[in-house]
């Protein structure tokens, strides 16, 4: 069974209603298992002969986010991206200067989750973090220009 069918089945089992539009968005997300902007998803659907406006895609993405199927992350210059959570949970360091994106393993967030649970009695959903800052190269370049 391909991943789109598996996701659709899980959602049906939870009593979610699967419309044709919802199915189309899920299939587009599964086609390109990567960070996708709403625009990417729209283009992906167009290439398969479907048309949906941005507002509709956005609503479907918010539904999928609430259902814990996808994550939503602001990657700065690359915009807000959506990704299937199931594929490979990870996080990012994003350089504010050169926009380099460094991938972090999900174990990075374990301690944060524990801390939030214990100190705030809050069950966090840390799906896909983006931490903004300065990479080593940009810091070195900045330091060099000061001299
Ligand atoms: Zn990512
Ligand atoms: Zn940088």
């Amino acid at each position: 069974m391909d991943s789109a069918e598996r996701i659709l089945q899980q959602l049906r089992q939870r009593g979610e209603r699967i419309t044709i539009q919802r199915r189309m968005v899920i299939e587009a997300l599964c086609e390109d298992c990567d960070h996708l902007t709403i625009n990417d998803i729209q283009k992906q659907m167009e290439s398969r002969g479907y048309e949906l406006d941005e507002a509709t895609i956005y609503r479907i993405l918010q539904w999928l986010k609430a259902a814990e199927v996808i994550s939503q992350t602001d990657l700065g210059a690359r915009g807000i991206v959506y990704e299937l959570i199931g594929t490979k949970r990870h996080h990012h360091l994003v350089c504010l200067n050169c926009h380099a994106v460094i991938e972090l393993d999900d174990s990075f967030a374990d301690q944060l989750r524990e801390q939030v649970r214990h100190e705030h009695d809050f069950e966090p959903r840390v799906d896909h973090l983006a931490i903004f800052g300065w990479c080593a190269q940009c810091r070195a370049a900045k330091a060099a220009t000061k001299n």
Side-chain angles (χ1 to χ4, degrees):
M1 203 186 324
D2 73 12
S3 52
E5 283 307 318
R6 211 175 51 236
I7 290 165
L8 289 164
Q9 198 178 47
Q10 281 167 2
L11 288 166
R12 272 191 216 101
Q13 279 168 356
R14 285 192 236 152
E16 298 284 355
R17 206 164 54 92
I18 310 296
T19 60
I20 292 169
Q21 294 180 335
R22 285 177 168 186
R23 168 186 278 275
M24 276 156 41
V25 171
I26 291 167
E27 284 175 354
L29 283 160
C30 290
E31 194 71 26
D32 264 308
C33 283
D34 200 1
H35 303 126
L36 298 175
T37 62
I38 287 188
N39 238 307
D40 294 334
I41 294 165
Q42 202 172 28
K43 280 195 209 114
Q44 223 283 328
M45 287 172 43
E46 271 167 22
S47 74
R48 296 194 301 158
Y50 300 125
E51 256 182 69
L52 266 193
D53 59 84
E54 270 187 45
T56 305
I57 297 173
Y58 179 79
R59 274 200 307 274
I60 294 171
L61 290 169
Q62 294 309 306
W63 166 69
L64 286 169
K65 187 173 107 179
E68 254 184 275
V69 172
I70 60 167
S71 62
Q72 174 182 346
T73 311
D74 184 350
L75 281 186
R78 286 175 66 186
I80 293 172
V81 296
Y82 300 88
E83 189 172 33
L84 293 171
I85 291 174
T87 47
K88 184 171 155 274
R89 209 179 276 234
H90 62 271
H91 310 282
H92 296 282
L93 301 177
V94 185
C95 181
L96 287 165
N97 190 53
C98 70
H99 310 302
V101 177
I102 299 157
E103 199 171 306
L104 297 174
D105 190 81
D106 184 51
S107 59
F108 164 84
D110 286 346
Q111 213 184 333
L112 176 68
R113 291 188 182 100
E114 270 306 290
Q115 213 169 339
V116 170
R117 270 184 212 117
H118 283 98
E119 292 178 17
H120 301 278
D121 189 22
F122 187 87
E123 184 53 43
R125 249 186 70 191
V126 186
D127 298 330
H128 191 210
L129 280 181
I131 298 172
F132 294 91
W134 282 72
C135 75
Q137 277 163 346
C138 291
R139 282 199 326 275
K142 201 181 170 191
T145 55
K146 273 183 187 161
N147 298 324

